[in-house]
């Protein structure tokens, strides 16, 4: 993960060593197809300042060959709360500054004399300056409350990001664990099936009893149950990953079945 403002040259320094490419940027976008990751409030502009780099040896292991910009509902709601709290700060500060109000009045009159009509439209325009002289500290307190709310919203946003990252990591770990269990369960199932075939051959030859055949069948059924449970856990981990990462994640492979 590399924060790099536009035009900083950091990406080039990290991606190439001499003439040898050592990393490349993974293309990332959110569920709406947008790639920006930061909003500059002062300039009122959106830009991408966060990049994910991957080495050439690791890139084949990246699902889909690209990254994703997370924009799940929890994080989006926290971001909107931060924006709203910042607007409250600006509004509270504006209430403490003088305000100039303009007032205008327009009236129409019609005079009829000697067969002719004359129309007049007198008007007036005035301005008033309103400024708080003494509010007993209410304006400052209002600004302080808005700032406190903004800091709380920032903390909530940080927590939402941490929770989202934790859920994605847990889903990925569960998927890896389930896929490992699938491989071992498949081996156990194949071994139990071969054992049952061998036991049946021995039973036909009269070397073992029917009880040993039933024991081999129970072992095969237990191995099959373990395989089904592993496949189920892999599917649940897959669903958890999609729900945690949101629709922005691009997945090309499906859980093994």
């Amino acid at each position: 993960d590399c924060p790099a403002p536009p035009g900083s040259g950091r990406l080039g320094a990290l991606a190439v060593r001499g003439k040898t490419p050592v990393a490349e940027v993974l293309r990332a976008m959110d569920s709406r197809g947008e790639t920006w990751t930061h909003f500059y409030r002062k300039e009122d502009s959106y830009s991408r300042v966060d990049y994910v780099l991957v080495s050439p040896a690791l890139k084949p292991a990246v699902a889909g060959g690209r990254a994703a910009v997370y924009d799940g509902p929890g994080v989006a709601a926290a971001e909107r709360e931060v924006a709203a709290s910042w607007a409250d700060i600006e509004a509270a500060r504006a209430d403490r500054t003088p305000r100039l109000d303009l007032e205008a009045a327009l009236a129409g009159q019609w005079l009829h004399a000697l067969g002719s009509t004359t129309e007049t439209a007198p008007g007036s325009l005035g301005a008033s300056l309103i400024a708080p002289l003494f509010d007993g500290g209410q304006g400052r307190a209002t600004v302080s409350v808005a700032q406190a709310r903004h800091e709380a919203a920032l903390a909530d946003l940080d927590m939402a990001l941490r929770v989202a990252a934790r859920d994605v990591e847990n889903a990925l770990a569960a998927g890896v664990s389930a896929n490992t269990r699938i491989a071992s369960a498949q081996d156990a199932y194949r071994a139990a099936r071969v054992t049952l075939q061998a036991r049946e051959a021995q039973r036909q030859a009269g070397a073992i009893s029917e009880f040993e055949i039933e024991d081999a069948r129970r072992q095969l059924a237990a191995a099959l149950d373990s395989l089904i449970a592993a496949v189920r856990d892999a599917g649940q981990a897959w669903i958890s990953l999609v729900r945690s990462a949101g629709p922005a994640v691009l997945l090309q492979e499906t859980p093994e079945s």
Side-chain angles (χ1 to χ4, degrees), residues 28 32 49 76 130 199 253:
R32 298 163 296 181
V49 298
I130 302 176
R199 294 298 185 186
E253 301 176 357

Side-chain angles (χ1 to χ4, degrees), residues 195-210:
T195 300
L196 177 60
Q197 293 174 352
R199 294 298 185 186
E200 289 177 345
Q202 292 176 343
R203 176 67 180 88
Q204 292 177 359
I208 60 175
S209 65
E210 190 67 28

Side-chain angles (χ1 to χ4, degrees), residues 27-235:
R27 178 176 174 81
M29 64 180 60
D30 61 13
S31 60
R32 298 163 296 181
E34 299 180 357
T35 60
W36 65 272
T37 60
H38 187 76
F39 171 62
Y40 291 92
R41 189 179 304 276
K42 184 176 181 181
E43 294 82 3
D44 193 23
S45 63
Y46 296 86
S47 178
R48 181 181 179 186
V49 298
D50 299 284
Y51 297 84
V52 178
L53 288 85
V54 62
S55 64
L58 183 61
K59 187 176 181 180
V62 178
R66 59 182 62 188
V69 178
Y70 182 82
D71 60 345
V75 175
E79 288 178 339
R80 286 192 293 267
E81 184 64 25
V82 170
S85 62
W86 180 263
D88 291 341
I89 294 177
E90 296 297 328
R93 289 173 177 172
D95 288 341
R96 301 189 64 194
T97 59
R99 184 175 71 251
L100 182 63
D101 292 339
L102 296 178
E103 297 179 356
L106 184 64
Q109 295 180 353
W110 292 266
L111 298 177
H112 182 76
L114 301 177
S116 63
T117 301
T118 303
E119 179 180 350
T120 62
S124 63
L125 178 66
S128 61
L129 182 63
I130 302 176
L133 296 179
F134 179 73
D135 61 359
Q138 180 180 358
R140 180 180 300 177
T142 303
V143 173
S144 298
V145 170
Q147 290 175 339
R149 181 193 170 197
H150 180 65
E151 292 176 359
L154 288 175
D156 292 340
L157 175 59
D158 182 71
M159 179 59 66
L161 290 171
R162 293 178 182 273
V163 170
R166 181 201 63 191
D167 292 343
V168 171
E169 291 175 355
N170 290 342
L172 289 172
V176 172
S177 175
N179 289 331
T180 303
R181 287 170 51 205
I182 287 177
S184 61
Q186 287 175 337
D187 294 339
Y189 176 74
R190 285 191 290 265
R193 187 170 55 185
V194 171
T195 300
L196 177 60
Q197 293 174 352
R199 294 298 185 186
E200 289 177 345
Q202 292 176 343
R203 176 67 180 88
Q204 292 177 359
I208 60 175
S209 65
E210 190 67 28
F211 293 103
E212 295 181 72
I213 293 291
E214 291 300 324
D215 183 64
R217 289 172 179 169
R218 284 193 296 268
Q219 292 180 1
L220 179 62
L224 181 59
D225 289 341
S226 298
L227 178 58
I228 293 174
V231 173
R232 178 202 62 200
D233 293 343

